[in-house]
Amino acid sequence: MDFPDLPLVKVSRRGAKRLKDGHVWVYRSDIVNADGIAPGALVGVLDEREKFLGTALYSSASQIAIRMISKDAVNDLDRLLRKRILDSIAYRERVVRDSDAYRIVFSEADSLPGLIVDRYNDQLSLQVLTQAMDTEAVRRIIVSELVERLQPAAIAERVDPRVRELEQLPARSSRLLEGEKRSTVFSMNGVRFHYEAFEGQKTGAFLDQRENYAASAQYARGEALDAFCYQGGFALHLAEHCSKVTGVDSSRPALEVADRNAALNGREIEWIEANAFDLLRDYASAGQQYDTIVLDPPAFAKSKSNLGTALRGYKELNLRALKMLRPGGILVTCSCSYHVSAGEFLEVVAQAARDTHRNLRIVENRTQAKDHPVLLTVPETAYLKCLVLEVS
Ligand code: SAH
């Protein structure tokens, strides 16, 4: 077979099996030969018998040496990238409802490995995670396609310095790639939020929770506590149905935005700057009670090695929340750690139920919003767990 212009990488039997099983990554330890391949190159992938397996993006730095971009031989990367972006946009048009903020491109899950693009109303926020997506040629194509298709008022690039370091990419700062606008207001499920292109965590908001906000709001009532509330995503959604809502976070800047968001929606919410672990412990031992509690902590398990600590953390939080929920109360409990499986998370919450002698009924067993699609054969694309439970 003929692969014009593509340098070739040979992968081991194990690497080839992984690809045949539907994964899109091959680790460095499964690369047989990648001599002379430039960082970020588009490469043809061969098995040990020289059978062609597809086209991939190469990284000279990451343990994930290749990320597949097509099962075919790609001769025109420009065309392929444009088509992938178009497909990503079309998919969101089919699945996103009641929101002008959502993820437009989710890396591997959109066959654009190493690229994240989020939309916040008239603005886009872009993140580049790999050598291949960082080349000037690829950046030009991505930005021009996004501008052509979506006509955003601005495109911001948010840089994670640690990612660039790990990919051995030169340091860059976050900046506008297009346009001048840096702030806007976006809305999800009828709730409005302030957005600042270069402030806050992730690209600004936790868009992956969008559908979980709406789902939780259906069951929420009475007095509610939103622990790890950030800029008030859950709290603001609960406010419509609850008599009183308290949001807790350790980040003052996040709470300042949360307060502005409450004003924007005409809501009265109590914001408390505190370590949520301490606050839940103190409130639980003081006998405080709630009808609705949301737990949405940051990822405790950053790697497999601290899984045990992470599970203890989740158990602790859920235990304290269960102690404070009135009979018939609602617990919304989340984990965004990929390393904690859905099964392990259910088990940890079950342990907390046993320890507190509470019965939990699963009202909804949820995951990330549909604009963060899960590829069935790439387990790493599924990371968010969100359980809505009724406590008796
Ligand atoms: N529920 C939010 C997202 C939460 S992200 C939403 O839907 O938008 C996790 C949040 O936990 C961050 O805002 C971070 O500031 C906060 N955080 C991290 N450690 C904390 C701690 N020990 N106590 C309270 N908040 C903490």
Side-chain angles (χ1 to χ4, degrees):
M1 214 198 262
D2 191 24
F3 323 117
D5 301 334
L6 284 189
L8 298 171
V9 169
K10 199 177 274 187
V11 303
S12 70
R13 262 176 72 168
R14 196 172 59 176
K17 165 130 193 345
R18 206 174 156 75
L19 296 180
K20 281 175 194 148
D21 286 346
H23 210 289
V24 292
W25 294 347
V26 177
Y27 291 104
R28 186 149 313 280
S29 54
D30 287 319
I31 300 291
V32 176
N33 188 347
D35 293 347
I37 307 276
L42 184 71
V43 296
V45 181
L46 304 180
D47 70 10
E48 280 181 310
R49 293 185 192 154
E50 313 240 314
K51 181 169 173 264
F52 181 75
L53 301 175
T55 306
L57 302 173
Y58 180 73
S59 168
S60 62
S62 170
Q63 279 313 306
I64 306 169
I66 66 171
R67 295 168 197 252
M68 300 304 291
I69 191 161
S70 173
K71 288 189 171 127
D72 303 321
V74 174
N75 295 312
D76 187 344
L77 182 62
D78 184 318
R79 225 175 93 191
L80 181 74
L81 292 174
R82 288 180 190 278
K83 179 176 180 322
R84 292 263 193 269
I85 291 174
L86 208 61
D87 288 348
S88 303
I89 295 170
Y91 171 71
R92 274 65 187 180
E93 282 168 2
R94 294 196 296 276
V95 301
V96 176
R97 299 277 173 277
D98 305 320
S99 182
D100 60 12
Y102 48 87
R103 181 150 290 184
I104 291 175
V105 175
F106 186 31
S107 201
E108 277 79 3
D110 285 298
S111 297
L112 284 165
L115 179 69
I116 304 278
V117 183
D118 288 338
R119 174 182 169 195
Y120 293 93
N121 188 5
D122 55 351
Q123 309 202 28
L124 300 182
S125 181
L126 175 150
Q127 284 187 313
V128 164
L129 309 174
T130 56
Q131 292 172 350
M133 288 293 170
D134 198 54
T135 63
E136 281 313 312
V138 167
R139 283 170 165 276
R140 250 198 320 275
I141 298 164
I142 293 166
V143 169
S144 84
E145 190 65 21
L146 290 171
V147 166
E148 190 176 323
R149 299 295 164 191
L150 301 167
Q151 287 115 31
I155 303 182
E157 177 175 1
R158 289 284 295 249
V159 173
D160 181 341
R162 215 179 60 93
V163 167
R164 292 192 70 83
E165 212 172 291
L166 288 174
E167 272 293 280
Q168 294 172 7
L169 293 167
R172 264 181 195 264
S173 45
S174 294
R175 71 208 177 287
L176 285 173
L177 303 178
E178 278 287 320
E180 299 289 329
K181 209 174 160 191
R182 291 160 177 265
S183 60
T184 193
V185 168
F186 64 90
S187 75
M188 306 184 193
N189 315 305
V191 178
R192 300 170 77 214
F193 295 85
H194 288 286
Y195 168 78
E196 297 283 342
F198 300 110
E199 305 289 328
Q201 304 174 24
K202 297 201 87 182
T203 63
F206 290 81
L207 299 174
D208 49 3
Q209 291 282 28
R210 191 187 73 255
E211 295 171 356
N212 297 331
Y213 297 151
S216 310
Q218 290 182 73
Y219 313 104
R221 58 189 165 69
E223 290 175 73
L225 178 69
D226 177 6
F228 307 91
C229 65
Y230 185 57
Q231 298 176 351
F234 280 100
L236 288 158
H237 279 81
L238 304 186
E240 192 185 340
H241 308 276
C242 294
S243 50
K244 177 163 194 242
V245 180
T246 303
V248 182
D249 203 281
S250 57
S251 159
R252 175 174 285 270
L255 292 178
E256 282 166 5
V257 181
D259 198 41
R260 291 174 59 216
N261 287 338
L264 187 65
N265 292 280
R267 299 278 177 212
E268 284 273 339
I269 294 175
E270 174 188 41
W271 306 110
I272 302 179
E273 181 185 342
N275 180 326
F277 279 91
D278 297 344
L279 180 131
L280 288 170
R281 188 195 51 220
D282 296 348
Y283 278 25
S285 43
Q288 178 81 31
Q289 298 225 297
Y290 290 95
D291 302 292
T292 305
I293 297 181
V294 177
L295 301 173
D296 184 21
F300 292 148
K302 298 270 186 216
S303 71
K304 242 192 182 127
S305 60
N306 60 2
L307 181 63
T309 319
L311 292 176
R312 279 193 294 282
Y314 287 118
K315 166 128 183 240
E316 194 64 39
L317 286 176
N318 283 282
L319 203 73
R320 290 172 187 174
L322 287 176
K323 284 189 180 157
M324 288 193 282
L325 277 163
R326 296 192 177 104
I330 292 291
L331 174 64
V332 179
T333 181
C334 311
S335 162
C336 57
S337 302
Y338 158 70
H339 296 284
V340 174
S341 71
E344 282 164 333
F345 187 56
L346 276 169
E347 179 50 32
V348 127
V349 180
Q351 282 170 13
R354 284 181 208 116
D355 288 8
T356 48
H357 308 291
R358 306 299 300 263
N359 280 323
L360 293 187
R361 172 188 275 168
I362 299 179
V363 184
E364 294 205 26
N365 186 348
R366 307 182 55 86
T367 180
Q368 61 228 45
K370 295 184 209 63
D371 50 318
H372 293 61
V374 173
L375 280 192
L376 191 54
T377 51
V378 182
E380 291 83 355
T381 55
Y383 62 96
L384 185 63
K385 279 78 59 188
C386 174
L387 300 171
V388 182
L389 304 153
E390 192 188 72
V391 184
S392 57

Coordinates of all heavy atoms in Angstrom, one line a residue, residues 4-6 40-43 55-58 67-70 72-85 111-113 131-142 145:
P4 N 1.4 8.3 0.7 CA 2.2 9.5 0.3 C 2.4 10.4 1.5 O 1.5 10.7 2.2 CB 1.4 10.2 -0.8 CG 0.1 9.4 -0.9 CD 0.2 8.2 -0.1
D5 N 3.7 10.9 1.6 CA 4.0 11.9 2.5 C 3.9 11.6 4.0 O 4.1 12.4 4.9 CB 3.2 13.2 2.3 CG 3.4 13.7 0.9 OD1 4.5 13.4 0.3 OD2 2.5 14.4 0.3
L6 N 3.4 10.4 4.3 CA 3.3 10.1 5.8 C 4.5 9.3 6.3 O 4.7 8.2 5.8 CB 2.0 9.3 6.0 CG 0.7 10.0 6.0 CD1 -0.4 9.0 6.5 CD2 0.7 11.2 6.8
G40 N 4.8 15.9 17.0 CA 3.5 16.5 16.5 C 3.2 16.0 15.1 O 2.2 16.5 14.5
A41 N 4.0 15.1 14.5 CA 3.8 14.8 13.1 C 2.5 13.9 12.9 O 2.1 13.2 13.8 CB 5.0 13.9 12.6
L42 N 2.0 14.0 11.7 CA 0.9 13.2 11.3 C 1.6 11.9 10.8 O 2.5 12.0 9.9 CB 0.1 13.8 10.1 CG -1.1 13.1 9.6 CD1 -2.2 13.2 10.6 CD2 -1.6 13.8 8.3
V43 N 1.2 10.7 11.3 CA 1.9 9.5 10.9 C 1.0 8.4 10.5 O -0.2 8.3 10.9 CB 2.8 9.0 12.1 CG1 3.9 10.0 12.5 CG2 1.9 8.6 13.3
T55 N -4.2 6.4 10.6 CA -3.4 7.6 10.7 C -3.5 8.2 12.1 O -4.6 8.2 12.7 CB -3.9 8.7 9.6 OG1 -3.9 8.0 8.4 CG2 -2.9 9.8 9.6
A56 N -2.4 8.7 12.6 CA -2.4 9.2 14.0 C -1.6 10.4 14.1 O -0.9 10.8 13.2 CB -1.8 8.1 14.9
L57 N -1.7 11.1 15.3 CA -0.9 12.2 15.6 C 0.1 11.7 16.6 O -0.2 11.0 17.6 CB -1.8 13.3 16.2 CG -3.0 13.8 15.4 CD1 -3.9 14.8 16.1 CD2 -2.4 14.5 14.1
Y58 N 1.4 12.1 16.4 CA 2.5 11.6 17.2 C 2.9 12.7 18.2 O 3.0 13.9 17.9 CB 3.7 11.3 16.2 CG 4.9 10.8 16.9 CD1 4.9 9.5 17.5 CD2 6.0 11.6 17.1 CE1 6.0 9.0 18.1 CE2 7.1 11.1 17.8 CZ 7.1 9.8 18.3 OH 8.2 9.3 19.0
R67 N -2.0 9.1 19.0 CA -3.5 9.2 19.1 C -4.1 9.1 17.7 O -3.8 9.9 16.9 CB -3.8 10.5 19.7 CG -3.3 10.7 21.2 CD -3.4 12.1 21.6 NE -2.5 12.3 22.8 CZ -3.0 12.5 24.0 NH1 -4.3 12.5 24.3 NH2 -2.2 12.7 25.0
M68 N -4.9 8.1 17.5 CA -5.4 7.9 16.2 C -6.4 9.0 15.8 O -7.2 9.5 16.6 CB -6.2 6.6 16.1 CG -5.4 5.3 16.4 SD -3.9 5.1 15.4 CE -4.7 4.7 13.8
I69 N -6.3 9.4 14.5 CA -7.2 10.4 14.1 C -8.1 9.9 12.9 O -9.2 10.4 12.6 CB -6.5 11.7 13.7 CG1 -7.5 12.9 13.4 CG2 -5.6 11.5 12.5 CD1 -6.9 14.2 13.5
S70 N -7.7 8.8 12.3 CA -8.5 8.1 11.3 C -8.1 6.7 11.1 O -6.9 6.4 11.3 CB -8.4 8.9 10.0 OG -9.1 8.3 8.9
D72 N -8.3 5.5 8.1 CA -7.8 5.6 6.7 C -6.5 6.3 6.6 O -6.0 6.9 7.6 CB -8.8 6.4 5.9 CG -10.2 5.7 5.9 OD1 -10.3 4.5 5.9 OD2 -11.2 6.5 6.0
A73 N -5.9 6.3 5.4 CA -4.7 7.1 5.2 C -5.1 8.5 4.9 O -5.9 8.8 4.1 CB -4.0 6.5 3.9
V74 N -4.6 9.4 5.7 CA -5.0 10.8 5.6 C -3.9 11.6 4.8 O -2.8 11.7 5.2 CB -5.2 11.5 7.0 CG1 -5.4 13.0 6.9 CG2 -6.3 10.8 7.8
N75 N -4.3 12.1 3.7 CA -3.4 12.8 2.9 C -3.6 14.3 3.0 O -2.7 15.1 2.7 CB -3.5 12.4 1.4 CG -3.1 11.0 1.2 OD1 -2.0 10.6 1.7 ND2 -3.9 10.2 0.5
D76 N -4.8 14.7 3.4 CA -5.1 16.1 3.5 C -5.6 16.4 4.9 O -6.8 16.3 5.2 CB -6.2 16.4 2.4 CG -6.5 17.9 2.3 OD1 -6.1 18.6 3.2 OD2 -7.2 18.3 1.3
L77 N -4.7 16.8 5.8 CA -5.1 17.0 7.2 C -6.0 18.2 7.3 O -6.9 18.2 8.1 CB -3.8 17.2 8.0 CG -4.0 17.4 9.5 CD1 -4.7 16.2 10.1 CD2 -2.7 17.7 10.3
D78 N -5.7 19.2 6.5 CA -6.6 20.4 6.5 C -8.0 20.0 6.4 O -8.9 20.4 7.2 CB -6.1 21.3 5.4 CG -6.8 22.7 5.4 OD1 -8.0 22.7 5.6 OD2 -6.1 23.7 5.1
R79 N -8.3 19.2 5.3 CA -9.7 18.8 5.0 C -10.3 18.0 6.2 O -11.4 18.2 6.6 CB -9.8 18.1 3.7 CG -10.9 18.5 2.9 CD -10.9 17.9 1.6 NE -11.8 16.7 1.6 CZ -11.8 15.7 0.7 NH1 -11.0 15.8 -0.4 NH2 -12.6 14.7 0.8
L80 N -9.5 17.1 6.7 CA -10.0 16.2 7.7 C -10.3 17.0 9.0 O -11.4 16.8 9.6 CB -8.9 15.1 8.1 CG -9.4 14.2 9.2 CD1 -10.5 13.2 8.7 CD2 -8.2 13.4 9.8
L81 N -9.4 17.9 9.4 CA -9.7 18.7 10.6 C -11.0 19.5 10.4 O -11.8 19.6 11.3 CB -8.5 19.6 10.9 CG -7.2 18.9 11.4 CD1 -6.1 20.0 11.5 CD2 -7.4 18.2 12.7
R82 N -11.1 20.1 9.3 CA -12.3 21.0 9.0 C -13.6 20.1 9.1 O -14.6 20.5 9.7 CB -12.2 21.7 7.7 CG -11.2 22.8 7.7 CD -11.1 23.5 6.3 NE -10.0 24.4 6.3 CZ -10.0 25.6 6.8 NH1 -11.1 26.1 7.3 NH2 -8.9 26.4 6.7
K83 N -13.5 18.9 8.5 CA -14.7 18.0 8.6 C -15.0 17.6 10.0 O -16.2 17.6 10.4 CB -14.4 16.8 7.7 CG -15.6 15.9 7.8 CD -15.5 14.7 6.8 CE -16.6 13.7 6.9 NZ -17.3 13.5 8.2
R84 N -14.0 17.3 10.8 CA -14.2 16.9 12.2 C -14.8 18.0 13.0 O -15.7 17.8 13.8 CB -12.8 16.5 12.8 CG -12.2 15.3 12.2 CD -12.5 14.1 13.1 NE -11.7 13.0 12.8 CZ -12.0 12.0 11.9 NH1 -13.1 12.1 11.2 NH2 -11.1 11.0 11.6
I85 N -14.4 19.2 12.8 CA -14.9 20.4 13.5 C -16.4 20.6 13.1 O -17.3 20.7 14.0 CB -14.1 21.7 13.3 CG1 -12.8 21.5 14.0 CG2 -14.9 22.9 13.8 CD1 -11.8 22.6 13.7
S111 N -12.8 12.7 17.9 CA -11.7 12.3 16.9 C -10.9 13.6 16.6 O -10.4 13.7 15.5 CB -12.3 11.7 15.6 OG -12.9 10.5 15.9
L112 N -10.7 14.4 17.6 CA -9.8 15.6 17.5 C -8.9 15.5 18.7 O -8.9 16.4 19.5 CB -10.5 16.9 17.3 CG -11.2 17.2 16.0 CD1 -12.2 18.3 16.1 CD2 -10.1 17.5 14.9
P113 N -8.1 14.5 18.8 CA -7.3 14.3 20.1 C -6.4 15.5 20.4 O -5.7 15.9 19.5 CB -6.5 13.0 19.8 CG -6.5 12.8 18.4 CD -7.8 13.4 17.9
Q131 N 1.3 18.2 21.1 CA 2.2 18.8 20.1 C 1.6 18.9 18.8 O 1.7 20.0 18.1 CB 3.4 17.8 19.9 CG 4.3 17.8 21.2 CD 5.4 16.7 21.0 OE1 5.4 15.9 20.1 NE2 6.4 16.7 21.9
A132 N 0.8 17.9 18.3 CA 0.2 18.0 17.0 C -0.8 19.1 16.8 O -0.8 19.8 15.8 CB -0.5 16.7 16.6
M133 N -1.6 19.4 17.9 CA -2.6 20.4 17.8 C -1.9 21.8 18.0 O -2.6 22.8 17.8 CB -3.7 20.2 18.9 CG -4.6 19.1 18.6 SD -5.6 19.4 17.1 CE -6.3 17.8 16.9
D134 N -0.7 21.8 18.4 CA 0.0 23.1 18.7 C 0.7 23.7 17.5 O 1.2 24.8 17.6 CB 1.0 22.9 19.9 CG 1.4 24.2 20.5 OD1 0.5 25.0 20.9 OD2 2.6 24.5 20.6
T135 N 0.9 22.9 16.4 CA 1.6 23.4 15.3 C 0.9 24.6 14.7 O -0.4 24.7 14.8 CB 1.8 22.4 14.2 OG1 0.5 22.0 13.7 CG2 2.5 21.1 14.7
E136 N 1.6 25.6 14.1 CA 1.0 26.8 13.6 C 0.0 26.4 12.5 O -1.1 27.0 12.4 CB 2.1 27.7 13.0 CG 2.8 28.5 14.1 CD 1.9 29.2 15.1 OE1 0.9 29.8 14.7 OE2 2.1 29.1 16.3
A137 N 0.4 25.4 11.7 CA -0.5 25.0 10.6 C -1.9 24.5 11.1 O -2.9 25.0 10.6 CB 0.1 24.0 9.7
V138 N -1.8 23.7 12.1 CA -3.1 23.1 12.7 C -3.9 24.2 13.4 O -5.1 24.3 13.2 CB -2.7 21.9 13.6 CG1 -4.0 21.6 14.4 CG2 -2.3 20.7 12.8
R139 N -3.2 25.1 14.1 CA -3.9 26.2 14.8 C -4.6 27.0 13.8 O -5.8 27.4 14.1 CB -2.9 27.0 15.6 CG -2.4 26.4 16.9 CD -1.3 27.2 17.4 NE -1.0 26.9 18.8 CZ -1.7 27.4 19.8 NH1 -2.6 28.3 19.7 NH2 -1.4 27.0 21.0
R140 N -4.0 27.3 12.7 CA -4.6 28.2 11.7 C -5.9 27.6 11.2 O -6.9 28.3 11.0 CB -3.6 28.4 10.5 CG -3.0 29.9 10.5 CD -2.4 30.2 9.1 NE -1.7 29.1 8.5 CZ -0.4 28.9 8.8 NH1 0.3 29.6 9.7 NH2 0.3 27.9 8.2
I141 N -5.8 26.3 10.9 CA -7.0 25.6 10.3 C -8.1 25.6 11.3 O -9.3 25.9 11.0 CB -6.6 24.1 10.0 CG1 -5.5 24.1 8.9 CG2 -7.9 23.4 9.5 CD1 -4.9 22.7 8.8
I142 N -7.8 25.3 12.6 CA -8.8 25.2 13.6 C -9.5 26.5 13.8 O -10.7 26.7 13.8 CB -8.2 24.7 15.0 CG1 -7.8 23.3 14.8 CG2 -9.2 24.9 16.1 CD1 -6.9 22.8 16.0
E145 N -11.6 27.6 10.8 CA -12.9 26.8 10.6 C -13.9 27.3 11.7 O -15.1 27.4 11.4 CB -12.6 25.3 10.8 CG -13.8 24.4 10.4 CD -14.2 24.5 8.9 OE1 -13.5 25.0 8.1 OE2 -15.4 24.2 8.7

